[in-house]
Amino acid sequence: MNLFVVFACLLAGCLAQKPHPCKSPPLLTGAVTTTSQNEKLFIMGKYLYDALGERIRLQELVTLDNQTASLDILLHYKQRVIYEINDNDRTCKKIPLKAEFMPFGVPDGATFVAQNVLGDSSKPGDGLLVNTWTGNMPSKAEKFLTTVTEFGCIPITFSYQTKQYGWLWTYYFDNVIGITDPNLLNPPSYCPDEDTMTDEEPVGFFNLFL
């Protein structure tokens, strides 16, 4: 009986430990949706995430102001470039990128909000333990709210404020650790070379939809 009490106390102590900021796996593949508070923007598609090379590929269907279009972009943060790709026409536009790379996960300095179970908490294996955090974006101008799994630090949701759309809510699902097709994280051969750039002003990610 004494041994059982000790074990129960140790288990309770482990469960009572406050979660800490964490980093998601550096290579992820999955699907994503984004909706806006003002109901003007809806995005649905697939993503590839490479924190090592600071690259994100998004192949999405975008609806903005009741107009729908397909978008295929490669964000290369180290080069500070967005490749806007049209594989059907074999065309590629290279646009200056105005944004800092923000790794998936929970950055240092974020504030822990709550721990919850998605699904059924009455039986082991029927629910998913997740942690919610809040903090400031790299610009310090906007707040964010993010939810990740307790084990593995896999992204579940990410929300933050924008001037154009109000709050943006992003949901991640069908996540797989690793990159299913590494070639998709490199610009196609028909894209402009590294020394070629449009004379457009640098843009942030969501400026592409305006």
Side-chain angles (χ1 to χ4, degrees), residues 81-147:
V81 167
I82 299 173
Y83 293 93
E84 191 173 343
I85 301 164
N86 188 324
D87 200 41
N88 291 330
D89 297 339
R90 294 185 63 82
T91 60
C92 182
K93 189 176 181 181
K94 191 175 176 184
I95 307 169
L97 173 61
K98 182 183 178 181
E100 297 296 327
F101 181 74
M102 187 173 179
F104 287 2
V106 181
D108 293 335
T111 300
F112 176 66
V113 176
Q115 186 173 81
N116 305 100
V117 175
L118 300 180
D120 182 6
S121 61
S122 62
K123 293 187 295 183
D126 284 358
L128 179 65
L129 189 62
V130 299
N131 299 321
T132 300
W133 301 78
T134 188
N136 291 315
M137 297 290 287
S139 65
K140 305 297 182 183
E142 302 94 3
K143 290 280 188 181
F144 72 81
L145 189 70
T146 187
T147 299

Side-chain angles (χ1 to χ4, degrees), residues 12-199:
C14 291
L15 293 176
Q17 289 180 0
K18 186 176 180 178
H20 298 282
C22 60
K23 293 182 179 180
S24 298
L27 302 175
L28 285 170
T29 302
V32 63
T33 63
T34 296
T35 58
S36 65
Q37 183 179 7
N38 63 8
E39 300 182 352
K40 291 185 177 181
L41 178 65
F42 175 75
I43 303 172
M44 178 178 64
K46 298 178 180 180
Y47 79 88
L48 290 91
Y49 165 80
D50 171 22
L52 303 176
E54 296 188 2
R55 299 173 296 177
I56 298 176
R57 181 75 177 264
L58 298 167
Q59 297 171 308
E60 302 179 311
L61 187 68
V62 179
T63 299
L64 177 64
D65 293 331
N66 296 321
Q67 297 183 0
T68 300
S70 296
L71 186 67
D72 185 354
I73 57 174
L74 171 63
L75 295 96
H76 202 311
Y77 289 86
K78 286 186 176 180
Q79 292 182 5
R80 305 192 72 81
V81 167
I82 299 173
Y83 293 93
E84 191 173 343
I85 301 164
N86 188 324
D87 200 41
N88 291 330
D89 297 339
R90 294 185 63 82
T91 60
C92 182
K93 189 176 181 181
K94 191 175 176 184
I95 307 169
L97 173 61
K98 182 183 178 181
E100 297 296 327
F101 181 74
M102 187 173 179
F104 287 2
V106 181
D108 293 335
T111 300
F112 176 66
V113 176
Q115 186 173 81
N116 305 100
V117 175
L118 300 180
D120 182 6
S121 61
S122 62
K123 293 187 295 183
D126 284 358
L128 179 65
L129 189 62
V130 299
N131 299 321
T132 300
W133 301 78
T134 188
N136 291 315
M137 297 290 287
S139 65
K140 305 297 182 183
E142 302 94 3
K143 290 280 188 181
F144 72 81
L145 189 70
T146 187
T147 299
V148 299
T149 59
E150 165 68 12
F151 304 105
C153 198
I154 305 298
I156 301 297
T157 66
F158 185 85
S159 307
Y160 75 101
Q161 293 173 306
T162 67
K163 293 180 180 179
Q164 299 100 321
Y165 307 107
W167 278 92
L168 289 173
W169 297 291
T170 298
Y171 305 89
Y172 300 91
F173 54 98
D174 292 342
N175 299 296
V176 176
I177 295 177
I179 302 297
T180 53
D181 187 352
N183 290 327
L184 292 176
L185 287 169
N186 296 314
S189 59
Y190 51 83
C191 282
D193 59 37
E194 292 187 6
D195 297 327
T196 304
M197 185 80 70
T198 66
D199 57 2

